[in-house]
Amino acid sequence: MIYRLLIVDDEPIIVDGMYELFQEQNRSNLELYRAYSGKEALRLMEELRIDIVISDIGMPKIDGFQLQQETKRLWPHSKFIFLTSHNDFQYAQTALRNGSADFILKTEEDDNIIASVCKALASLEEDQVYKELIDRARKQMHLALPLLKKEFLTSIHDGSLSRHMISAAAFQEMQIGMDEAQNVLPVTGRIDDWGHYESKADRALMVQAVENILAEFFSHHQFQFTPVGKTYFALFVQPASDRTGGQASNEAIERRWELMITFVKGILEAVQPVIGRLLKLTVSFSIGQQPVSWHELHIHFESLRKQLMRIQSNEMILTAGLQPHDSAKEAADQHHRTARNLLIKISDIEFSSTSQHELFVDLIARLKRCLDEAYDMSLFTEIYFSIAAHLISYMNRWETNRQANLNNIAVLEQYEVNRPYTLVLDEFVQIAAALIREKESEQNRHTHQVVHILNQHIEQHIDQELSLNRLSELVYLNPTYLSRLYKQSTGVGLVDYINDVRLKKAKRALLETNAKIHDIARSVGFESPTYFARLFKRHEGMTPQEYREKRSL
């Protein structure tokens, strides 16, 4: 992260001296600014986020303490370092009480001033701002909880949730409000006719309204609702908690569930006309014949859904039991469910990086295993067209190489029933790899273009301000991201490159002109001749004057 340091004093020699001191440190994560009055500092802080302020206390009009208060108002998490010539304990006490990071004297050694800024930088990375981010994340987690809960229940519904995830801790974290150790009654619902609700937003709103109505009717029971697909939804129902604390007999539990199933059927009969009257929707339900464990729910939900799919009449209430046990069919169904869950994950892949391709390869390998274990022509057809459609959609959206797209689409159109599915899936992997290579090539072209624009601008405006903030505006990128991108692309830091260009132009001017050294320094963008001389000596091993004299011999 790039941090911004502002140096404030009404004595220019102090400001410029400290500015040069930190320029010499050449810190890639520190951007420097300076102001010669409290008013000028405030004007700058109203335009830019400032992270650390080094400020004199005794300034006219707006003194250091007033500036500190205004800084905290504008940038509450900033660090303030007071700089004063008054070796007075009361000043230090007031400064620390107001929340400054440090208090140093103008007579301090350079190392102590640098150490004070390093301390402030460390504090910025570890202090309260990160605690607040965590608190904010908790609040966002709370807001996202309904969505996470529905995702959790949907995973139970379709059998994609690992068995160890169905635990008391997971139920508590998701605020399920049901007993994971007790059986649950599955109910599948279907919206038979959407009527005049055509948009996705309207339909999502109606599903939420259906959930609210059902929750009201089941308010005295343990109950959860989750949408599954476009028109179906699942209900999870348990009796209200037994508050007696006693151990009920098997007969009592069985009787309790018999009454519960009858009661649920009665509730749903009452719900249908309410939904019809209030929402103008017709709904049908299929109720399980017995409660089952959470781990077996997906089998029963699938049976209930198939029962509804066979009956096209509106406003039906069916009581459906599980079909006779067939272990082979059950295993095949499980593989089919797994394959469809894998297709959902593939539909989220953007093919924008190598890691995305690795994920795609892994998902394809898992799809192969599903087909190996339970090959079915209809399932393979579904897999083929789902992935082909996703790949074509990606090609259309990202506008990659047109001819390559046409070639890939031609391959995708070659669907043949008798072609080995392993060969077809391998072709998908090859097409995805080609798309990612094209995308990475496009990203590299963009990066090189950004670097070219920056280098050209630096060459042509070397005598002007070339702060990271200004350069980032030139290419419409975040300053921190731009700094990292430039370093990754060129192997050289952006600040280092600017200094190298300035020094090269300065060396040429030293040899080819008789201009004064301080004029040459300013002509290549160094505001301080002293800093120019120090930087030049560090790079060349001699002062600018020595360089001129030695090369002219």
Side-chain angles (χ1 to χ4, degrees):
M1 179 176 178
I2 301 295
Y3 294 101
R4 296 189 177 108
L5 168 65
L6 173 62
I7 303 164
V8 189
D9 201 310
D10 58 340
E11 297 182 58
I13 191 171
I14 298 294
V15 175
D16 295 340
M18 282 201 175
Y19 189 89
E20 292 173 13
L21 173 65
F22 285 104
Q23 271 192 322
E24 290 177 6
Q25 296 301 305
N26 198 25
R27 290 177 173 270
S28 59
N29 69 332
L30 194 63
E31 199 169 279
L32 304 176
Y33 295 87
R34 49 189 161 181
Y36 301 101
S37 68
K39 184 177 181 180
E40 185 181 350
L42 278 179
R43 188 164 57 247
L44 183 63
M45 283 191 284
E46 287 172 352
E47 297 176 358
L48 288 174
R49 185 197 79 246
I50 298 296
D51 302 296
I52 304 171
V53 179
I54 299 179
S55 173
D56 185 24
I57 292 180
M59 296 184 295
K61 295 184 179 179
I62 299 178
D63 64 21
F65 294 132
Q66 292 171 315
L67 182 61
Q68 183 197 28
Q69 291 174 356
E70 288 299 305
T71 303
K72 289 296 179 184
R73 178 182 64 82
L74 291 169
W75 306 109
H77 303 300
S78 63
K79 299 299 175 184
F80 213 93
I81 302 173
F82 280 107
L83 181 69
T84 183
S85 57
H86 301 284
N87 191 3
D88 190 319
F89 177 72
Q90 287 184 344
Y91 272 121
Q93 201 174 37
T94 304
L96 295 173
R97 189 183 303 120
N98 289 344
S100 69
D102 214 339
F103 176 89
I104 55 178
L105 298 172
K106 292 182 179 180
T107 55
E108 293 272 14
E109 296 291 333
D110 288 352
D111 289 346
N112 292 337
I113 296 172
I114 293 168
S116 180
V117 170
C118 290
K119 177 182 173 183
L121 286 169
S123 180
L124 278 170
E125 294 186 352
E126 298 177 4
D127 75 352
Q128 190 63 31
V129 62
Y130 289 96
K131 293 181 181 178
E132 291 182 3
L133 287 174
I134 291 172
D135 290 340
R136 192 181 306 166
R138 287 198 184 102
K139 291 178 182 177
Q140 290 172 341
M141 174 72 176
H142 179 72
L143 293 173
L145 188 59
L147 183 60
L148 294 174
K149 181 192 292 187
K150 289 186 186 304
E151 184 177 338
F152 184 80
L153 291 171
T154 301
S155 297
I156 293 176
H157 169 274
D158 59 29
S160 62
L161 194 69
S162 303
R163 291 179 68 90
H164 73 274
M165 286 298 296
I166 301 177
S167 64
F171 273 48
Q172 183 176 0
E173 182 182 2
M174 293 293 167
Q175 298 182 14
I176 299 299
M178 298 182 74
D179 189 344
E180 90 293 343
Q182 300 298 323
N183 288 347
V184 59
L185 181 67
V187 178
T188 292
R190 180 186 68 198
I191 297 177
D192 301 318
D193 183 1
W194 284 105
H196 62 279
Y197 302 111
E198 296 181 356
S199 72
K200 289 183 178 179
D202 286 344
R203 292 187 178 188
L205 184 63
M206 288 303 102
V207 170
Q208 183 66 54
V210 169
E211 178 181 357
N212 292 341
I213 292 171
L214 286 165
E216 185 69 26
F217 274 83
F218 282 99
S219 60
H220 298 296
H221 297 79
Q222 297 184 97
F223 163 84
Q224 288 294 336
F225 172 105
T226 187
V228 285
K230 296 180 179 178
T231 59
Y232 287 86
F233 52 89
L235 312 182
F236 306 76
V237 188
Q238 287 177 334
S241 300
D242 186 357
R243 300 179 181 177
T244 63
Q247 188 69 32
S249 65
N250 290 338
E251 291 79 5
I253 293 174
E254 187 176 337
R255 178 59 180 162
R256 188 182 182 195
W257 273 111
E258 287 177 359
L259 293 173
M260 179 71 191
I261 293 170
T262 301
F263 181 74
V264 168
K265 185 176 180 181
I267 285 181
L268 297 179
E269 288 174 348
V271 161
Q272 283 178 325
V274 172
I275 291 176
R277 184 175 68 255
L278 297 180
L279 307 180
K280 304 297 186 289
L281 293 175
T282 58
V283 294
S284 293
F285 297 97
S286 183
I287 309 168
Q289 284 186 338
Q290 69 277 330
V292 295
S293 72
W294 290 89
H295 304 291
E296 298 174 334
L297 271 174
H298 62 279
I299 302 171
H300 290 256
F301 272 125
E302 183 169 354
S303 179
L304 296 176
R305 181 167 178 167
K306 286 180 179 177
Q307 184 79 355
L308 274 180
M309 290 173 70
R310 283 193 289 266
I311 307 295
Q312 294 303 317
S313 301
N314 294 340
E315 292 191 312
M316 297 292 294
I317 295 182
L318 309 171
T319 303
L322 191 63
Q323 298 297 320
H325 183 72
D326 183 336
S327 57
K329 183 178 183 303
E330 183 179 323
D333 287 346
Q334 180 60 48
H335 288 304
H336 288 196
R337 283 192 295 273
T338 301
R340 291 186 176 97
N341 290 330
L342 294 173
L343 289 176
I344 291 172
K345 293 179 180 179
I346 286 176
S347 69
D348 291 331
I349 292 179
E350 287 294 326
F351 303 109
S352 58
S353 65
T354 302
S355 61
Q356 290 279 290
H357 184 251
E358 291 171 353
L359 174 60
F360 183 70
V361 170
D362 177 64
L363 294 173
I364 290 292
R366 291 163 66 183
L367 279 173
K368 284 182 181 178
R369 289 196 291 271
C370 288
L371 290 169
D372 289 341
E373 296 293 333
Y375 178 80
D376 180 89
M377 177 58 68
S378 62
L379 176 63
F380 174 54
T381 302
E382 181 180 350
I383 291 171
Y384 180 90
F385 284 108
S386 294
I387 299 177
H390 182 57
L391 289 169
I392 292 171
S393 173
Y394 176 83
M395 287 184 273
N396 289 337
R397 284 184 290 118
W398 286 100
E399 297 181 353
T400 50
N401 184 280
R402 180 172 178 79
Q403 186 56 49
N405 286 351
L406 293 174
N407 294 338
N408 288 329
I409 290 173
V411 172
L412 293 174
E413 289 176 342
Q414 294 173 6
Y415 175 74
E416 296 176 12
V417 174
N418 296 324
R419 291 181 71 204
Y421 61 84
T422 54
L423 177 62
V424 173
L425 294 178
D426 286 341
E427 286 176 351
F428 284 153
V429 170
Q430 293 169 12
I431 290 173
L435 289 173
I436 289 173
R437 285 195 299 270
E438 179 67 24
K439 185 62 179 176
E440 289 179 340
S441 176
E442 179 187 330
Q443 291 170 341
N444 289 336
R445 286 193 295 271
H446 177 259
T447 299
H448 293 153
Q449 184 181 16
V450 167
V451 170
H452 175 72
I453 291 171
L454 290 175
N455 290 349
Q456 192 175 45
H457 181 83
I458 290 166
E459 288 280 351
Q460 295 173 355
H461 302 85
I462 196 66
D463 60 331
Q464 300 176 17
E465 179 190 349
L466 295 173
S467 68
L468 186 58
N469 199 56
R470 287 286 178 88
L471 293 174
S472 66
E473 292 174 354
L474 182 68
V475 290
Y476 307 102
L477 293 174
N478 173 271
T480 304
Y481 175 73
L482 174 61
S483 178
R484 185 170 64 250
L485 181 70
Y486 192 93
K487 181 68 176 288
Q488 288 174 347
S489 176
T490 65
V492 179
L494 190 51
V495 174
D496 292 334
Y497 177 77
I498 293 170
N499 284 336
D500 286 344
V501 173
R502 283 174 168 162
L503 288 174
K504 286 177 183 177
K505 288 184 178 292
K507 286 190 289 185
R508 191 180 306 120
L510 286 169
L511 298 178
E512 297 175 359
T513 72
N514 293 320
K516 294 179 180 180
I517 290 176
H518 65 269
D519 290 334
I520 291 175
R522 290 194 174 89
S523 71
V524 296
F526 291 106
E527 295 183 21
S528 167
T530 306
Y531 173 65
F532 166 65
R534 289 178 182 173
L535 186 66
F536 192 98
K537 187 171 184 179
R538 187 163 71 238
H539 278 254
E540 301 298 325
M542 63 185 78
T543 66
Q545 184 61 39
E546 290 170 343
Y547 179 87
R548 170 178 269 174
E549 292 172 354
K550 185 174 180 180
R551 291 303 179 93
S552 62
L553 294 177

